[in-house]
Amino acid sequence: MSGKWMTMKNFSPRFAKLTIRHAILFLFLIIGVSSCLNSNEKQDPEEYMEIYYFMGYIDTSRPCEKDFDPSETVDKGTVSIGKEEYQLIKNYIAGLQNVESDKNSTYSMCLQCNMYDSSKDFETRLSVGQFGPMSLGDNFVERNDTLLYLLRKNAGFYNYYHLNDLPRYCKEVERFGVPENYQDMTAYFDTSNVLYAKIRILVE
């Protein structure tokens, strides 16, 4: 058979070695690129909180226990807190006692804290409004001002109230004082379209 097709007779061992070597190099190149792409993918940390809250005082009948759509929130990014403070928040939540309540939900001054722990496949939702008990999952639990202060402080909740109004709306501030990280943001937000802020809290 004429032509330039390569047959077993003219297929040299040297050419075979080069072909195999190129194939191996190409395989390592593919693995390396794949590893780089995977390392650059954004992955959720093992443990974190996501907090949603009203930006300022809003009198509404919207339930705080609901799932929030990204279109109705302003993403405030992430903030990191110390491991001891993070564990303190977890301990306070774990120690909350169930209470009886005739309230159906929490509304005004809503704050919702979702805690995630992928190592335990665990998620819990704490919701709190202006008055009355908090809700933890499907249960009402006692209101804990220390816990509420830690959540509101780290989430930036107080920034959407004038300094002079904080003791009026946030009773725990009378006990613990205005946080050092307080910044008056009341002149820089518009709740005509978006009512809620969202922030993720990580462990340092």
Side-chain angles (χ1 to χ4, degrees):
M1 184 176 178
S2 62
K4 296 182 179 179
W5 296 102
M6 185 174 289
T7 65
M8 292 301 295
K9 280 186 177 181
N10 56 20
F11 188 83
S12 69
R14 183 180 179 185
F15 181 80
K17 289 180 180 179
L18 287 174
T19 303
I20 294 172
R21 184 181 298 173
H22 289 159
I24 293 174
L25 289 174
F26 182 73
L27 179 61
F28 277 115
L29 179 63
I30 293 298
I31 293 173
V33 171
S34 177
S35 298
C36 290
L37 291 175
N38 289 335
S39 64
N40 290 329
E41 287 181 358
K42 187 176 181 181
Q43 296 181 348
D44 284 334
E46 185 175 277
E47 193 173 14
Y48 63 95
M49 304 178 208
E50 278 187 352
I51 296 181
Y52 299 84
Y53 59 89
F54 274 139
M55 293 184 291
Y57 181 81
I58 300 171
D59 190 5
T60 178
S61 59
R62 300 186 184 192
C64 193
E65 290 85 352
K66 74 187 197 78
D67 292 327
F68 290 94
D69 188 272
S71 64
E72 60 182 341
T73 65
V74 176
D75 193 337
K76 296 294 183 179
T78 62
V79 63
S80 296
I81 64 175
K83 186 175 182 179
E84 290 185 2
E85 186 169 13
Y86 193 95
Q87 186 61 48
L88 185 62
I89 292 173
K90 288 177 59 178
N91 291 343
Y92 276 123
I93 292 177
L96 293 173
Q97 300 295 316
N98 292 349
V99 295
E100 296 293 331
S101 176
D102 57 0
K103 290 187 63 177
N104 293 324
S105 188
T106 53
Y107 300 113
S108 300
M109 296 180 64
C110 159
L111 181 142
Q112 180 191 110
C113 174
N114 299 292
M115 299 195 69
Y116 301 92
D117 188 342
S118 60
S119 66
K120 300 177 182 177
D121 193 24
F122 174 75
E123 174 185 346
T124 188
R125 173 171 294 178
L126 176 74
S127 303
V128 56
Q130 184 177 10
F131 304 112
M134 305 186 289
S135 64
L136 183 62
D138 296 327
N139 300 313
F140 286 105
V141 293
E142 61 187 347
R143 194 179 184 92
N144 185 306
D145 284 345
T146 305
L147 170 62
L148 184 56
Y149 181 80
L150 290 172
L151 293 176
R152 285 177 168 177
K153 176 190 73 170
N154 288 301
F157 179 94
Y158 297 123
N159 296 339
Y160 295 95
Y161 292 83
H162 290 294
L163 182 62
N164 294 334
D165 289 336
L166 279 176
R168 172 188 173 192
Y169 290 108
C170 309
K171 299 300 182 183
E172 70 278 3
V173 172
E174 293 182 345
R175 177 181 174 187
F176 299 106
V178 178
E180 293 181 359
N181 63 348
Y182 171 79
Q183 296 179 347
D184 190 339
M185 301 289 291
T186 55
Y188 303 100
F189 72 98
D190 178 11
T191 57
S192 58
N193 295 313
V194 181
L195 300 176
Y196 303 96
K198 168 194 171 184
I199 191 166
R200 179 174 288 195
I201 297 180
L202 309 177
V203 186
E204 287 181 344

